[in-house]
Every structure is written in structure tokens, then in C-alpha cells.
Amino acid sequence: MLDINHVGKTYPNGVRALDGVSLTVNLGEIVVVVGGSGCGKSTLLRLVCGLDAPTDGSIRLDGTLISAPHERIGIVFQEPRLLPWLSVARNVGFGLEDRPRPERTSRVAAQLARVGLSDKARVWPRELSGGQAQRVALSRALVTRPEVLLLDEPFSALDAFTRVDLQDHLLDLWADQRPTLLVVTHDVDEAIVLADRILVMRARPGRVQEEIVIDLPRPRDRQSAAFDFAKRRVLNALDHSLDRRARAGDAETVLDEGAARWW
Amino acid sequence: MTASIDDSPVQIAPKYRLGRWTRPALGLLLPLALAVFWELAVRFGLSNGRLVPPPSVIFTTFSDLWQTGELQAHAITTLWRVAAGFACGVAAGTVLGALAGYSGLLHRLVDPTLQALRSIPSIAWVPLFILWFGIFEASKIILIAVGVFFPVYLGVMGAVISVDRKIVEVGRVFRLSAFGMIRRILLPAVLPAYVIALRAGLGLGWMFVVAAEFLGASQGLGFLLVDGQQLGKPAQIVAAIVAFAILGKLTDWLIVAATTPLLRWQDVYGAAHQDS
């Protein structure tokens, strides 16, 4: 169980990125965080994976305080961040360096087969398409079998078709080991496809505005009325979270985007 | 079908594409034309060629020096000095550069002093080195090492500092130790810049070996230069210069050839014209 308890983060430049965020995520649950830009959702993930330390509050995984990167917590970033000097297979095996070679090889091979990239094992990362690279990044995070997998806008740089593809693929992979997923996105469709629970955050300081439970059965039909209904709820909450920023006078475009989707 | 198109190397627009041999041959056109021109000018008596010997004389001098074994002996002496100085300079530059790049504290401690020393023209050290280390091999090798040190130090330090934070974070997420971070992330990431630093260092090494050999050497290509000047043998000077050019290019090519297999992963603009 991942327990985020009254976490706040103030950056050295004085920006209060997060304020009093509390969240409990059960093992195997998929929680998606949405919100306008600057609402601290990426900061939250950086704290959970131990890259940054919270200014106040605490993050615990099964009671263990997380203050540095932890072996049971993996992360996939917005960019694949593959190491360009390692082949695809060695990128995937990057976190298995301490395992004996036969185990490493077989786990990497199995993982690559799982994401349908066995034929790319020996190529350089530069030879992959965006979607393939992100699948490799996903494999690199999953091959160590983390209990918690964090995803920071993992598909936002991909085209719409590839994105939908990878969302389904992610759910597929999730069903294998059922890790806890904590996903940050600004794509409402993506949030509804993936989430058991959606947290809508608002900015300045970043905090949770609303929690929406999505209890549609999986696999979810993106065209169904229930999906649309859920989407409307989330968009509504998003507009709520943004209007205060709009009144503050500098987020009109974000509001427009929400409104456009709403209509 | 599409795969075969994708796999082919980046191609320059067809009208600029030249044959496999024409492209390097183009580069030879200008020097060859000049050489032929000068040779003919001397042959037809437009110049006596005493101060600027024609190619044929240079070639004869070169092959004479070669046949007596003199040239090889001088070249080997020089080569050994450059190698020793280069090795010391690279070792010191790499270690200090990596440390100053990795640790902010060390950077603040060491870098200002080194930058100050760097602004001294290295030749200015010569009198001091001769006083300290004598006029024999030690002072020469140290002078070369100093020349090699700074570009290598600067290159490594700058490269380590500018390694992409996002890549370093990948190392942190996988909980690499400081040593693991250096070995598995920082070193491979700086390798392309390191090769360039090595080549710059080697270039300076060749420059400084000449300076070192101007000061009381009795062996080496630099000595051959001074000797040619003192005895009024311009052809010998040019022959020594040619030897420098060949050795310089050869050693540079060695670095490139040794490191190219390590850099095949690069996704860079230069990949398109590396063979030109």
C-alpha cells in the first residue's frame, strides 16, 4: 500500500508546488492524476519515486519511508529516456545488472516478447519509433517487477493512434503482475480508460480538488455512453479546478481547452 | 519494402553524389595543382627554387633521409616524446576533469586555479621547466603533457557537467552507486566529447613537441627543422614538416579508428558526412 500523507513541496525558488496532498493507493489499484499545467502532478510523481524529497509530510510504501529511489518503485517518464549507447535489450536489462547473466537474458527476452519487440533487441534506441521507444521504456521499468509503477504523461508525445494502442497495451501488461499504477496525464480519455480512481488537482499551490471513482468494467469502450458520462464529470471537475486560475488572469487558454472539450 | 528504404543511410541529394573515389580525389586537386605548378616553374627557370624547393627535390631529400635511416630515428624519438607526454597529459586531464565535473565542491576548489594556469601560454613555462627538470627528456615530456592536459581537462569537465539530467535521473531511479553512475551513465555519455578532447589534446601535443625540440635537442623531427635552418637546407625542413604532417594525421586517425566502434550508437547530424 502506497501512503502519501500531507505531502507538500516548496522549491528552492519559493514556488509552492504541492500543498497537503494525501492519498492512499492500494496494491494493484490504478490511480490517475489529472490537472492543468503547473498543478504539481509531475512533482508528486518525482516525490513518490524518490527523485525529490518532500518539504513536509511523508510518503510510505508498506510502512517504509520513501526518501530516495526504491527498488519496488519504478517510473516511466514522458520521454523514453533510453540510454542511446545501449542496445534495446541492454536498456531493458539496465536494472537487472546485479542478477546473473542467464536470468537477466531470459527476463529481458521475455519482457521484449511481451511488448512485441523481440526483433528489436539488438538495435540502437535511435532506430525505434516513438511508440516503440516508449514500449522499451515501459519494459525497462516492468522487468524489475516493481510493486508500484509511476507513469508521468507516458504517452503524451505520441500520435493519437499509437497512444490508444499503448493505453490498451499498458492495461494488458498491468493485468500480468497487477502492480499499483500511479499515472499522471492531461488526457481525459486516457484517464478514464485507465483509472480506478481519478484525482483532479488544482494549481497554486498544487492540491487535490476532487476524487472521481471510475467503476466501468474493463475493457472500457471509448465510444460508450457511460464513458462519455464519466468524461463529462472529469471535464467538469477540471473546469472547476481551472476557473480560479482563469480569474487570476493567466490561464485562459487552458480554460478554453477544457471548455472546447466540454462542448 | 519500406524497411529497406528506412535502413539505407541518409543520402545527400543525388546531384551532389560523387563516386567512391572522386570525392576524396577532389580534395587532392588543389595541392597537386600547386605542386605541379611549382615544379614546372622551377624547371622552366621562373624561379631558382633555392628557398622554396620544388616537390622533386623535397621528395629526393625525404627518400635520402629515409634510406639512411635518419628520418625514422628522428621520427621515433619524436613519436615517443609525444606518446609519453600525451599519456601523462590525458591521464591527468581525464581524472581531474571527471572529478571537477562530477563534484561541485572539487570544481570550486580546483577549477579556478586550473583556468588561471590555462591562460598562461604554455611555452612560457619552458625556461622554468628547463631549470626544474633539466634540458633532457623530462622537461620536454612535461611540456607536452601540459599542452595536452588543458584541452582534455576542459573537454572532460565540460562534458560531464553537461550530461543530460534526464539520463542521470534514470541512473538515480535504478539506484546506481557513485561508481556505477560514473561507469554506466557518465562515461558513455561523455565519450563523444572525450574523443574530440583527445584529438584536440593530441594536436597540441604535436605542436608542443616542436617547441620542446627547438630547445637543445639532438634528436627528433624538431631538431631536423632547426638543423635544416642552421645549415640552410630548406628541403630538409620541408621534409621534416611533411613527416610531421604524416605522423599527426596518422595518430589522429588512430584515435578516430579506435573509438568509432564505440560511438556507433550516436544519432547525429555528422553521421551523414562522416566518410567525406
Side-chain angles (χ1 to χ4, degrees):
Chain A
M1 192 178 73
L2 181 68
D3 187 30
I4 300 169
N5 191 12
H6 288 97
V7 159
K9 174 72 182 175
T10 308
Y11 281 112
N13 61 7
V15 172
R16 183 78 174 155
L18 279 183
D19 189 52
V21 172
S22 291
L23 168 68
T24 303
V25 191
N26 294 315
L27 182 63
E29 198 183 4
I30 305 180
V31 172
V32 177
V33 180
V34 295
S37 49
C39 71
K41 50 196 196 305
S42 289
T43 303
L44 180 66
L45 278 204
R46 291 181 64 84
L47 297 182
V48 175
C49 83
L51 281 175
D52 290 331
T55 322
D56 33 300
S58 66
I59 298 169
R60 287 171 194 279
L61 178 63
D62 297 336
T64 316
L65 191 69
I66 302 296
S67 55
H70 192 280
E71 62 176 329
R72 286 192 296 169
I73 302 180
I75 184 164
V76 174
F77 297 99
Q78 183 174 1
E79 329 78 21
R81 298 200 188 180
L82 303 179
L83 303 178
W85 53 85
L86 295 181
S87 68
V88 164
R90 299 198 54 194
N91 262 293
V92 172
F94 191 78
L96 298 174
E97 192 81 344
D98 53 339
R99 309 296 166 91
R101 182 181 289 266
E103 183 196 340
R104 199 183 343 152
T105 328
S106 68
R107 276 172 71 172
V108 167
Q111 185 65 44
L112 277 174
R114 190 69 187 81
V115 297
L117 289 174
S118 294
D119 55 329
K120 299 285 181 189
R122 290 161 168 277
V123 309
W124 301 116
R126 65 154 193 260
E127 297 165 75
L128 300 174
S129 70
Q132 290 171 337
Q134 200 57 299
R135 272 191 281 169
V136 173
L138 204 53
S139 301
R140 179 177 64 186
L142 281 172
V143 81
T144 58
R145 296 182 194 138
E147 225 172 272
V148 177
L149 182 61
L150 311 171
L151 299 108
D152 186 5
E153 304 192 17
F155 310 133
S156 62
L158 305 173
D159 63 87
F161 292 116
T162 314
R163 198 182 309 157
V164 168
D165 221 40
L166 278 179
Q167 286 159 5
D168 294 342
H169 196 59
L170 175 64
L171 285 172
D172 237 32
L173 294 170
W174 169 78
D176 289 351
Q177 302 163 25
R178 299 224 162 213
T180 305
L181 297 188
L182 185 54
V183 186
V184 159
T185 184
H186 53 235
D187 178 340
V188 175
D189 282 51
E190 180 166 291
I192 296 163
V193 168
L194 298 175
D196 293 317
R197 265 193 292 158
I198 296 178
L199 297 184
V200 180
M201 290 186 66
R202 74 184 306 157
R204 278 178 221 170
R207 61 206 184 278
V208 177
Q209 144 137 347
E210 197 170 332
E211 183 177 320
I212 300 169
V213 175
I214 307 287
D215 50 6
L216 304 176
R218 294 195 172 92
R220 291 174 182 164
D221 180 2
R222 290 178 175 79
Q223 315 297 335
S224 69
F227 192 94
D228 260 355
F229 180 75
K231 189 169 166 182
R232 230 166 290 158
R233 270 190 74 189
V234 175
L235 283 175
N236 215 358
L238 264 176
D239 282 348
H240 270 291
S241 80
L242 291 171
D243 65 3
R244 208 177 131 207
R245 290 182 59 206
R247 257 181 265 144
D250 60 348
E252 279 154 32
T253 51
V254 185
L255 180 63
D256 284 350
E257 192 189 0
R261 282 196 197 149
W262 167 251
W263 299 115
Chain B
M1 286 310 281
T2 46
S4 70
I5 293 170
D6 288 341
D7 288 345
S8 67
V10 179
Q11 292 186 347
I12 305 165
K15 65 172 174 175
Y16 294 117
R17 289 195 65 210
L18 298 162
R20 194 192 159 113
W21 302 109
T22 1
R23 207 186 322 200
L26 267 187
L28 288 174
L29 205 60
L30 186 63
L32 278 181
L34 283 174
V36 168
F37 166 77
W38 192 241
E39 186 72 43
L40 291 176
V42 174
R43 284 284 159 88
F44 290 113
L46 294 173
S47 162
N48 61 16
R50 200 163 291 157
L51 282 178
V52 186
S56 59
V57 176
I58 294 168
F59 184 77
T60 319
T61 315
F62 194 91
S63 62
D64 284 351
L65 283 169
W66 180 272
Q67 262 146 21
T68 57
E70 230 178 310
L71 191 66
Q72 292 93 315
H74 288 303
I76 284 169
T77 308
T78 300
L79 208 52
W80 139 251
R81 285 175 184 146
V82 172
F86 183 68
C88 298
V90 165
T94 306
V95 171
L96 277 174
L99 288 176
Y102 185 67
S103 148
L105 177 67
L106 278 171
H107 185 92
R108 267 172 294 245
L109 273 176
V110 170
D111 193 59
T113 310
L114 288 175
Q115 296 298 346
L117 287 176
R118 189 170 74 92
S119 63
I120 301 171
S122 304
I123 309 283
W125 292 109
V126 167
L128 209 51
F129 284 173
I130 289 180
L131 278 182
W132 286 349
F133 308 110
I135 56 163
F136 298 110
E137 293 307 298
S139 61
K140 293 184 176 59
I141 289 169
I142 288 168
L143 181 65
I144 297 166
V146 168
V148 173
F149 171 81
F150 285 107
V152 173
Y153 166 79
L154 212 59
V156 173
M157 191 262 290
V160 171
I161 282 181
S162 57
V163 169
D164 191 354
R165 171 188 59 82
K166 296 177 170 177
I167 295 271
V168 175
E169 276 178 6
V170 171
R172 288 182 56 203
V173 166
F174 284 103
R175 302 177 318 286
L176 296 185
S177 61
F179 177 69
M181 188 67 97
I182 290 174
R183 182 176 67 86
R184 298 179 65 195
I185 304 273
L186 296 179
L187 279 184
V190 305
L191 198 57
Y194 188 50
V195 171
I196 292 172
L198 286 184
R199 292 174 70 183
L202 184 67
L204 279 181
W206 281 107
M207 209 159 118
F208 279 72
V209 79
V210 178
E213 287 178 349
F214 274 177
L215 335 148
S218 56
Q219 273 284 325
L221 293 173
F223 163 76
L224 220 51
L225 292 173
V226 181
D227 189 58
Q229 179 218 331
Q230 283 167 350
L231 301 181
K233 295 191 284 190
Q236 181 182 316
I237 298 179
V238 180
I241 289 175
V242 169
F244 267 123
I246 293 173
L247 286 176
K249 179 71 190 164
L250 207 66
T251 45
D252 184 61
W253 174 80
L254 271 179
I255 294 186
V256 175
T259 50
T260 305
L262 300 175
L263 295 177
R264 271 177 310 162
W265 51 268
Q266 278 185 293
D267 185 11
V268 289
Y269 164 70
H273 51 77
Q274 238 158 26
D275 61 337
S276 62

